[in-house]
Each structure stands twice: as structure tokens, then as C-alpha cells.
Amino acid sequence: MTSSCHNGAREQRAVRPEVWRFGEVSSALDVGHTLARRGLLAPWQSVLVSSQRQGRGQLRRNWVSPAGNIYAALRLPMQEPFAGSAASTVTGAMLAATLGKLGFAVRLKWPNDLVVQDGDAPAKVAGILLEERAGVLLAGIGINVAWAPPAESLRTGAAMPAKALVPGPEKSQKIFLTAESLWYQLVNCLFCEYSTGGSLKKNWKDLAESFLLWRGSCVCLDDGDEVVEGILTGLCHDGGLCLSRNGRQEVFYSGSLRLSHHH
């Protein structure tokens, strides 16, 4: 079976990666690791589930997972640019670029969230969690397609509100979109870009920076122990966040990012 994906004016064709479909499960990542252990999940193959009882996000936080959204686990190849610390940022950048080609304007909130503009402020529409077990690298990907958790259900101090990719008033203006059909489009184009582009290993940083939220703005980075403030200048070659502070460039590898009141 073949599927096309567009890259500028060119149309590339590649074998469609297999997608395993399940109903309600503990989590897509758990199912993905089980299939991989059994030799049933090759790189770029994925698991898509209708809902999760124990979906997880960053820092093992619960990821609320009702039906209607994308809850997937995508196996990534254990080679550059996915073999190092930039893997989640690379995955986020590829997703942002692919969603853009499908008509959804999203930005990358370092290191692994996708956001859309909701009025004057950004709102989270997707998150990525990478897990490696026994040499198998899976990207857990959650995308709010038709539903987003309300503000009162988010954890206290959450960096930003959540929003659906296709909010209610806009659904009638777009082609009917289901989580399943969107995932097939996304995973086909991700694989196509990787397998036919040939430049991802070299150009991932430029791609990620082109979608980087708040680049050039004053931001605060909270890693739990301290909050640092600086101008977000871009990304390091290994996926770290570059901040200009007191005339010096400093690199950070973890923390929750927000816009500074001094911007």
C-alpha cells in the first residue's frame, strides 16, 4: 500500500507504516512496548488507541484521555537525530511542520509541547513523551483533536490552558476530521519526510527553531529548584534551550517555560 505526502512542490511516495488500532487500554505506550518486545512494532509503526485509563505526561502526570482525541505511541529509529537528547524536540518540530501542511498553525513550546494561539495567548494542543526500554524508543503523542480539558481540571500552576485543535465553532468550517484519520495522515507524512527528505539529521535545528514559541522574547524557565530569566535565542545542537542572560549565552535542558512579565 502506498501513500503520498507533499514536500514543497514535490510529491513523494513511501510505504505506509502500519498502525495498530485498539479501544480503551491502560496507555498507548504500554501497548507499544508490549508489541515491540514481541517483535511486532518496527520503527515508524505505531499504536493508536481510542482512550487510556492511565495515560501519562511529563513527570508521570496523568494525561486525561477521553475518546475523540489522538493517543498514540510511535516507534522511532534509534539513530540520529533521535538517538540523543534532542529527540523529543525533533519529534515536536516534525509534528508541527506536518500539522502546518494540513492547515493547522501550531508552534513548538520547548521541549515537547505544541500550542496554538488562543486570542493573545498560546494554548496547548499536544504533548510528547519519549520512553526508551531495552533499546526501543517510543514517542507517546497526545493531540487534543476534538476535546480539551477545561481550565478547572488542569493541575494548579499549569503553564498554559488547553485547547482542541478543531474547536466546536470551527468544526463546520473544516472537512470532517476524526482522530484516526488525522493520525494516519500525520504518521504517513512523518515517515515520508524522514525516509525521503534526507536532510533531517542535518537540518532539524533550523526546522525546530522556525516553529519555536517565544523566540526573541524574555522568558522564565522554572526547573523546580530555581527560576531563571533571559532572552530565548534558540536551540543548542543537542536540543538544549539557549537563553541570553547578562550578556552571556547559557544552555538549559529541563524546566517549564513561560513568558516573562518583562517581555
Side-chain angles (χ1 to χ4, degrees):
M1 184 179 296
T2 60
S3 175
S4 64
C5 71
H6 295 272
N7 184 2
R10 295 173 299 149
E11 181 175 307
Q12 303 283 358
R13 300 185 71 85
V15 175
R16 173 184 289 182
E18 185 172 5
V19 177
W20 289 82
R21 286 288 285 111
F22 292 87
E24 183 181 83
V25 301
S26 59
S27 79
L29 281 169
D30 291 341
V31 173
H33 283 299
T34 298
L35 290 173
R37 282 198 305 273
R38 296 175 180 175
L40 299 174
L41 195 72
W44 296 107
Q45 294 182 347
S46 62
V47 170
L48 180 67
V49 306
S50 62
S51 61
Q52 303 178 117
R53 294 185 299 273
Q54 299 172 341
R56 52 190 179 270
Q58 281 187 301
L59 304 179
R60 312 299 290 187
R61 298 187 184 109
N62 181 55
W63 184 278
V64 181
S65 309
N69 291 339
I70 286 174
Y71 313 108
L74 171 66
R75 183 170 179 181
L76 298 172
M78 281 292 288
Q79 57 193 46
E80 294 298 338
F82 301 107
S85 56
S88 61
T89 300
V90 175
T91 306
M94 291 180 70
L95 270 175
T98 302
L99 283 167
K101 292 175 182 178
L102 297 176
F104 300 100
V106 299
R107 307 288 288 175
L108 173 65
K109 178 178 176 286
W110 182 89
N112 52 5
D113 288 338
L114 298 182
V115 305
V116 294
Q117 284 298 125
D118 186 15
D120 294 331
K124 180 175 175 177
V125 294
I128 299 162
L129 176 67
L130 263 60
E131 286 188 357
E132 181 189 346
R133 298 181 193 172
V136 172
L137 179 63
L138 295 185
I141 297 171
I143 303 177
N144 299 332
V145 178
W147 182 92
E152 59 268 21
S153 71
L154 299 176
R155 62 183 172 84
T156 303
M160 61 177 55
K163 187 175 181 179
L165 196 62
V166 188
E170 296 180 14
K171 287 180 182 176
S172 61
Q173 301 171 25
K174 290 183 176 288
I175 297 174
F176 180 70
L177 185 69
T178 66
E180 184 172 357
S181 64
L182 178 59
W183 178 249
Y184 276 101
Q185 293 179 74
L186 287 174
V187 76
N188 288 343
C189 284
L190 290 174
F191 174 68
C192 195
E193 289 293 323
Y194 177 81
S195 62
T196 62
S199 61
L200 184 65
K201 179 178 178 180
K202 182 172 61 176
N203 296 334
W204 72 262
K205 182 173 171 291
D206 291 340
L207 179 69
E209 288 182 335
S210 72
F211 289 98
L212 192 59
L213 182 68
W214 297 325
R215 189 179 185 190
S217 297
C218 187
V219 298
C220 291
L221 186 65
D222 184 351
D223 69 357
D225 296 323
E226 65 172 336
V227 178
V228 297
E229 190 171 4
I231 303 296
L232 198 168
T233 58
L235 299 171
C236 189
H237 68 279
D238 57 2
L241 188 74
C242 297
L243 298 183
S244 176
R245 306 180 68 230
N246 302 316
R248 299 198 316 269
Q249 289 284 337
E250 299 184 30
V251 181
F252 300 86
Y253 293 94
S254 63
S256 179
L257 196 63
R258 58 183 168 83
L259 195 61
S260 169
H261 295 305
H262 302 126
H263 71 280

